[in-house]
Amino acid sequence: MNNLFFRQETNKDFEGVFETHQLAFEQDKEARLVNALRNNLDVFIPELSIAATDNDNKVVGHILFTKIKVVQVNQSEIESLALAPLAIRPEFQNKGIGGQLIHLGLEKAKELNYRSVIVLGHKQYYPKFGFVPANKWNIISSYDVPSSHFMAIELVKEGLRNVSGLVKYAREFDDL
């Protein structure tokens, strides 16, 4: 396998990122979601849109973290991040690229002083990175999903202490 490089995506990567998501998911909903989230400056964080590229600068993987809110019972809102989506081109899957993107993204999010990340994903995959069911903190999804697939991770010690409530995603996720 060629050497891989991990870096913040640039506008030159947009087409490759779209294609990577389209190929990975065998349709274009997630690819269109990435484009829409990029245009929502209230939730998009450029440093947390990370591309994996090969020696020829071809995008082979991509991960995106965007801002979300946990709306508590008293209606106060606590900021967190959503990890979504993550895509690896089919010919590069099962080589650890997704895991590297997750680790890099979590580290970058921590550097940017975010305290937690929420993910809706495979219950066997994300726990390898420290994610646990979000209901541990009484955090629930606004989507009808099994609690075992709705997970969170604290980026700092007690990053979710005294946080509970309903996760409010950017409106772009509603089209997924």
Side-chain angles (χ1 to χ4, degrees):
M1 182 168 71
N2 291 338
N3 290 330
L4 294 178
F5 305 92
F6 297 86
R7 57 172 173 73
Q8 180 180 327
E9 75 164 354
T10 68
N11 58 358
K12 292 177 183 174
D13 298 319
F14 290 177
E15 186 177 320
V17 166
F18 189 95
E19 186 177 87
T20 296
H21 284 277
Q22 190 174 38
L23 291 169
F25 290 101
E26 298 180 337
Q27 44 90 16
D28 68 356
K29 285 184 180 179
E30 285 81 2
R32 287 186 287 116
L33 174 63
V34 171
N35 285 348
L37 288 168
R38 257 193 226 111
N39 292 321
N40 183 342
L41 301 182
D42 291 331
V43 301
F44 183 69
I45 307 158
E47 298 90 340
L48 293 177
S49 186
I50 303 169
T53 61
D54 67 9
N55 284 334
D56 298 322
N57 214 26
K58 175 183 173 182
V59 176
V60 300
H62 177 258
I63 193 169
L64 181 63
F65 297 80
T66 53
K67 296 177 191 175
I68 56 172
K69 303 282 186 195
V70 179
V71 182
Q72 303 198 105
V73 174
N74 66 5
Q75 298 305 305
S76 65
E77 296 180 343
I78 306 295
E79 190 171 70
S80 185
L81 294 173
L83 184 172
L86 166 64
I88 309 299
R89 285 181 181 265
E91 67 271 26
F92 287 88
Q93 290 177 3
N94 301 310
K95 299 179 187 304
I97 298 168
Q100 290 179 67
L101 283 167
I102 291 169
H103 284 300
L104 286 167
L106 294 175
E107 275 304 309
K108 188 61 171 174
K110 189 175 176 179
E111 287 173 20
L112 294 172
N113 296 314
Y114 288 95
R115 300 178 59 79
S116 62
V117 175
I118 307 284
V119 68
L120 172 56
H122 296 286
K123 66 181 181 178
Q124 281 85 26
Y125 185 67
Y126 288 96
K128 293 189 270 187
F129 306 99
F131 286 89
V132 298
N135 61 12
K136 171 182 177 179
W137 296 278
N138 294 314
I139 295 172
I140 56 173
S141 176
S142 51
Y143 302 113
D144 185 20
V145 297
S147 61
S148 59
H149 291 72
F150 188 68
M151 296 168 269
I153 188 172
E154 295 176 306
L155 298 176
V156 296
K157 185 175 174 61
E158 299 188 353
L160 288 169
R161 184 178 183 184
N162 300 321
V163 176
S164 65
L166 182 70
V167 171
K168 181 179 171 185
Y169 285 88
R171 65 188 176 278
E172 290 81 1
F173 282 95
D174 295 339
D175 296 332
L176 194 56

